[in-house]
Amino acid sequence: MTKHPLIGKKAPEISLPNFDGSTYTFTPGASGGPTALFFYPQSGTYGCTKEACQFRDALSEEEIFKTTNVSVIGVSPDPVEKQKKFVEKQGLTYPILSDEKGEARKAYHVSKGLMGLTSSSRVTFVIDAEGSVKDVLDTTINYAAHHKFVQNWLTSLEPGKVTAIASDVPTSDVSETAPPASTGKATGSEI
């Protein structure tokens, strides 16, 4: 398995339309806390809805998401109008960005999913408080692994500290379906 090319590097800044039509600029490290940036294939589909709602629920219900002050940002190739309906229907509480032109996917090296059958892979980036990419999970099929991946990375942080190195991330608690830290690829067990 190859390591994702952004691990250990500064995450690219992106500016995209948010679900409400405003331009949202993500400047890695500017918030002072970690960020979970997740790319997904299509708003409103079963797996993408489940994934987005798991992050929504984690932000309001899980102590580790609250105490680390993690920001969550979702990105898909859907147009703004579809993103708006998706956010309103699911009550999402974080930015859902429209990447119709593929600019963010290109910047983050996110390819098409399912051997080119979907316009985007399901890829989650963990970005630390300084704006560096610490780990990446790339698995289109296993939508449930992404929330768990971020949760485990946040759990590895020392109390009051919002940065960590990828080798500090415990992988034994992730679950059988998540890949080892820093591989950037799925193990195949999620299919």
Side-chain angles (χ1 to χ4, degrees), residues 159-177:
K161 185 178 177 188
V162 292
T163 60
I165 58 173
S167 62
D168 288 341
V169 178
T171 57
S172 59
D173 296 333
V174 173
S175 79
E176 292 179 27
T177 60

Side-chain angles (χ1 to χ4, degrees), residues 36-39 51 55 122-126 135-139 146-147 149-150:
L37 176 66
F38 73 100
F39 291 81
E51 179 184 21
F55 280 119
R122 187 180 316 280
V123 182
T124 298
F125 294 81
V126 174
D135 213 345
V136 179
L137 177 64
D138 183 346
T139 172
H146 293 263
H147 155 260
F149 170 73
V150 173

Side-chain angles (χ1 to χ4, degrees), residues 92-161:
L92 302 179
T93 57
Y94 51 87
I96 295 291
L97 309 181
S98 172
D99 188 26
E100 283 188 282
K101 296 178 184 174
E103 297 163 354
R105 290 189 307 279
K106 183 177 180 181
Y108 278 84
H109 303 270
V110 175
S111 63
K112 292 185 175 191
L114 296 175
M115 298 178 285
L117 296 175
T118 63
S119 57
S120 177
S121 292
R122 187 180 316 280
V123 182
T124 298
F125 294 81
V126 174
I127 301 165
D128 71 9
E130 285 77 41
S132 295
V133 175
K134 291 303 181 182
D135 213 345
V136 179
L137 177 64
D138 183 346
T139 172
T140 300
I141 301 291
N142 191 356
Y143 59 84
H146 293 263
H147 155 260
K148 201 79 160 140
F149 170 73
V150 173
Q151 179 185 55
N152 285 333
W153 191 84
L154 293 172
T155 300
S156 75
L157 301 176
E158 295 174 23
K161 185 178 177 188

